[in-house]
Amino acid sequence: MLNLDFHPSGRHFLQIPGPSPVPDRILRAMSLPTIDHRGPEFGALGCELLGKLKKVFKTESPVIIYPASGTGAWEAALVNTLSLGDKVLMFETGHFAALWQKMALRLGLEPEFLGLTGAEGWRHGVQADMIEARLREDIDHQIKAVCVVHNETSTGVTSDIAAVRRAIDAAAHPALFLVDTISGLASADYRHDEWGVDVTVSGSQKGLMLPPGISFNAISDKAIVASQDSKLPKSFWAWDEIIEANRNGYWPYTPNTNLLYGLNEALDMLLEEGLDHVLARHQRWAAGVRKAVEAWGLEIQCQDPEVYSPVLTGVVMPEGVDADEVRQLIYERFDLSLGMGLGKAKGKMFRIGHLGDCNDLTLVAALGGCEAGMKLAGVVLKGSGVTAALDHFANHPLEAAK
Ligand SMILES: *Cc1c(COP(=O)(O)O)cnc(C)c1O
């Protein structure tokens, strides 16, 4: 129940894997007055940020910005490229992959859902060989698109997007390749052009360190060609008018002006730091958090060390412990928000976000909240995760991690 008398001092620890903490520099940029979105200053801002945005997606092609959460950009990716009844091949990595599949069904597509089952389910990344085998069977090219989630936020597992591209090419299949990196962009390595992705979907409130409210489609030439034949109804999401207006830095309808100030600032922060440095920082934090989980003697949801997420870590609770009760206790006692187990993982695990505007000590504090809270909840821990993470951070300076 919401306790309105609860006014904790100090900063709240927002350690969910999105929305992530918004840096003061971005909040200040967003506090500037809202301007005329048809005026000259706005056009200059639009051109500038659309250019910088391409660098973060690692693309030379257009990136569309929507005033919508990530779910809107998911829908945009499907309705701009596909037609009623089209078969799409999707891979079940976790809850977000399942939600995208449900959306495809609701839009009148025919999704086929591949995935690992049983104890293996939701604990590994995409299996490119399964995609290749299925595409090879599809001799008359009924499958129009392959859809994969790059960083599965419900589990803390990434997927090898380059391997899926190789699988599609090995099967010599013409399907479009659609990728959700809503939580991966700017925290996990991502390369739209190099990996031959046709539509990349992303959002503002995860690695980009912005509040929720804008989302993205990075698109390839092949996707633009597909959009000209695609028959699913679209108007708000249609790429053509947005691309046209974007040439001069404008949008066909009112964009999210103040969030775009924030986006421009976020892009400056990321590009000034250098993307390689940003990615190394996330890998190092993730390794420190895993050291903590290991020291506690608990299991990590991801079972494949090759694809541990640099964005978040899923911590599995021992049999008989309700992860949501532990989370609630941690929230109430330590003013620390952790991600809940979603879908099939509900009550079995919690998720620690280590993305965006964190540092070693905010993470150590967050781990302190987890450790103290688990003890209070009666979870038997093997040792101190806080000490293990502190030691890891002390012994692995970031410069050495690069
Ligand atoms: C957050 C997230 C979404 C949903 O985005 P919303 O902004 O909540 O609409 C979809 N996919 C992944 C992988 C996500 O992390």
Side-chain angles (χ1 to χ4, degrees):
M1 213 177 50
L2 187 63
N3 178 1
L4 297 175
D5 298 327
F6 183 54
H7 294 296
S9 54
R11 284 220 176 182
H12 176 71
F13 282 83
L14 185 65
Q15 297 299 146
I16 55 176
S20 65
V22 181
D24 294 350
R25 187 173 153 186
I26 292 179
L27 289 174
R28 277 196 295 272
M30 290 195 336
S31 74
L32 295 177
T34 302
I35 57 170
D36 173 5
H37 65 289
R38 309 275 185 213
E41 290 103 332
F42 192 90
L45 170 72
C47 288
E48 183 185 331
L49 70 85
L50 286 166
K52 289 190 281 201
L53 196 52
K54 290 183 184 186
K55 295 188 185 159
V56 175
F57 281 86
K58 301 208 170 134
T59 183
E60 302 287 327
S61 297
V63 182
I64 309 284
I65 305 178
Y66 294 107
S69 87
T71 303
W74 255 353
E75 179 159 338
L78 299 174
V79 298
N80 273 288
T81 53
L82 299 164
S83 302
L84 202 65
D86 277 355
K87 285 198 189 333
V88 292
L89 188 61
M90 303 179 109
F91 199 92
E92 183 176 358
T93 42
H95 187 64
F96 286 100
L99 289 178
W100 203 11
Q101 186 253 2
K102 193 173 97 188
M103 173 186 275
L105 273 175
R106 293 181 72 139
L107 291 171
L109 298 170
E110 281 186 29
E112 183 177 327
F113 216 18
L114 285 183
L116 297 173
T117 51
E120 302 265 87
W122 290 30
R123 305 199 76 165
H124 298 262
V126 71
Q127 306 294 302
D129 54 343
M130 288 171 70
I131 290 180
E132 182 177 333
R134 182 63 190 89
L135 292 179
R136 281 185 190 278
E137 281 170 17
D138 183 38
I139 296 158
D140 53 353
H141 299 159
Q142 292 285 310
I143 295 169
K144 300 301 175 200
V146 173
C147 302
V148 173
V149 175
H150 171 227
N151 183 72
E152 182 49 82
T153 323
S154 64
T155 58
V157 182
T158 59
S159 276
D160 186 344
I161 300 303
V164 178
R165 174 77 264 166
R166 287 194 298 273
I168 299 170
D169 292 347
H173 199 289
L176 291 162
F177 186 21
L178 277 41
V179 178
D180 165 348
T181 187
I182 294 180
S183 62
L185 191 77
S187 302
D189 188 20
Y190 191 80
R191 309 170 190 197
H192 177 85
D193 284 2
E194 189 183 319
W195 294 345
V197 179
D198 293 305
V199 188
T200 295
V201 180
S202 196
S204 57
Q205 75 273 29
K206 317 245 166 127
L208 288 175
M209 306 175 287
L210 294 163
I214 47 179
S215 54
F216 311 93
N217 275 179
I219 57 191
S220 70
D221 289 345
K222 185 173 162 185
I224 294 176
V225 171
S227 73
Q228 288 152 5
D229 292 331
S230 138
K231 301 279 189 307
L232 280 178
K234 54 195 148 287
S235 168
F236 181 80
W237 306 116
W239 291 337
D240 52 356
E241 289 181 2
I242 301 174
I243 293 174
E244 191 50 41
N246 276 178
R247 287 189 212 289
N248 301 312
Y250 298 99
W251 274 263
Y253 41 73
T254 316
N256 242 325
T257 310
N258 291 55
L259 274 171
L260 295 183
Y261 298 160
L263 175 61
N264 200 35
E265 199 70 22
L267 294 169
D268 282 343
M269 288 173 72
L270 292 166
L271 297 172
E272 280 163 17
E273 182 181 343
L275 281 178
D276 289 347
H277 194 268
V278 171
L279 302 182
R281 170 156 70 71
H282 284 83
Q283 290 291 356
R284 178 173 167 278
W285 286 336
V289 169
R290 290 195 300 270
K291 288 283 177 206
V293 181
E294 203 178 286
W296 288 330
L298 297 173
E299 234 182 273
I300 291 170
Q301 176 71 14
C302 179
Q303 294 285 285
D304 179 0
E306 292 281 303
V307 290
Y308 281 142
S309 172
V311 176
L312 74 143
T313 299
V315 183
V316 181
M317 287 294 93
E319 204 67 46
V321 175
D322 181 342
D324 286 339
E325 279 174 18
V326 178
R327 251 183 358 99
Q328 190 182 342
L329 189 152
I330 291 170
Y331 177 80
E332 285 169 1
R333 291 291 296 271
F334 303 108
D335 198 21
L336 161 63
S337 287
L338 298 165
M340 66 194 304
L342 295 169
K344 284 185 205 169
K346 180 162 174 46
K348 299 198 171 109
M349 59 177 272
F350 63 77
R351 297 170 297 142
I352 304 174
H354 30 79
L355 68 162
D357 194 42
C358 298
N359 61 39
D360 292 6
L361 293 186
T362 55
L363 285 177
V364 167
L367 293 168
C370 295
E371 186 164 316
M374 286 191 289
K375 282 187 188 163
L376 287 171
V379 179
V380 180
L381 302 177
K382 198 173 86 186
S384 170
V386 173
T387 308
L390 258 178
D391 287 347
H392 181 84
F393 292 142
N395 297 328
H396 296 81
L398 182 55
E399 290 319 305
K402 280 203 294 175

